[in-house]
Amino acid sequence: QVQLVESGGGSVQAGGSLRLSCEGTGFPFSSACTGWFRQRPGKEREAVAATFSDGSTTYADSVKSRFTISQDNAKNTLYLQMLSLKPEDTAVYYCAADGIRHGGSCSLIADMYRFWGQGTQVTVSS
């Protein structure tokens, strides 16, 4: 049984930082793409970043230069370091695993990922 458990969410002021973690069991993160997605209030789920075990990364334009995705294959854990947070980053953040890679990049399409965590709330106040 595959389980993805996110942690690290919380409430911060604008300009602050948070580090999200996603620990996986039952599926080796090193075997396929993993990623972070988010769902803002009243919006559809959207991609944040994705990575493969070779260290390659892909980011949504809205978070480039502020967020960093990384992965520890030995711990089977995915991370998202978020800096310079903005109120518009307020969302439920989900980690995803077993994603598709094409053209050398991991997909930023939610439907391309098979396993999902339950999400962790991030709230950024102005």
Side-chain angles (χ1 to χ4, degrees):
Q1 182 179 0
V2 177
Q3 279 194 315
L4 306 181
V5 180
E6 301 99 336
S7 61
S11 297
V12 296
Q13 290 192 324
S17 61
L18 283 173
R19 188 193 194 207
L20 306 183
S21 299
C22 171
E23 184 174 355
T25 56
F27 180 82
F29 282 3
S30 60
S31 65
C33 293
T34 53
W36 288 97
F37 292 75
R38 68 185 182 186
Q39 189 161 14
R40 293 184 282 180
K43 304 285 188 180
E44 292 187 355
R45 192 170 296 190
E46 62 182 3
V48 175
T51 188
F52 193 70
S53 58
D54 62 0
S56 60
T57 56
T58 309
Y59 293 92
D61 289 342
S62 59
V63 305
K64 278 181 182 176
S65 78
R66 299 189 298 122
F67 291 8
T68 303
I69 188 171
S70 61
Q71 182 169 295
D72 185 329
N73 293 325
K75 295 181 179 179
N76 216 45
T77 299
L78 182 69
Y79 303 99
L80 184 69
Q81 179 68 55
M82 304 186 293
L83 304 177
S84 302
L85 282 161
K86 304 175 181 180
E88 52 264 42
D89 293 319
T90 294
V92 178
Y93 284 72
Y94 300 89
C95 71
D98 197 16
I100 300 299
R101 192 183 196 195
H102 51 79
S105 297
C106 287
S107 175
L108 291 179
I109 300 172
D111 287 346
M112 296 294 106
Y113 289 77
R114 184 155 63 122
F115 302 119
W116 290 84
Q118 292 300 306
T120 185
Q121 177 71 46
V122 171
T123 302
V124 185
S125 58
S126 57

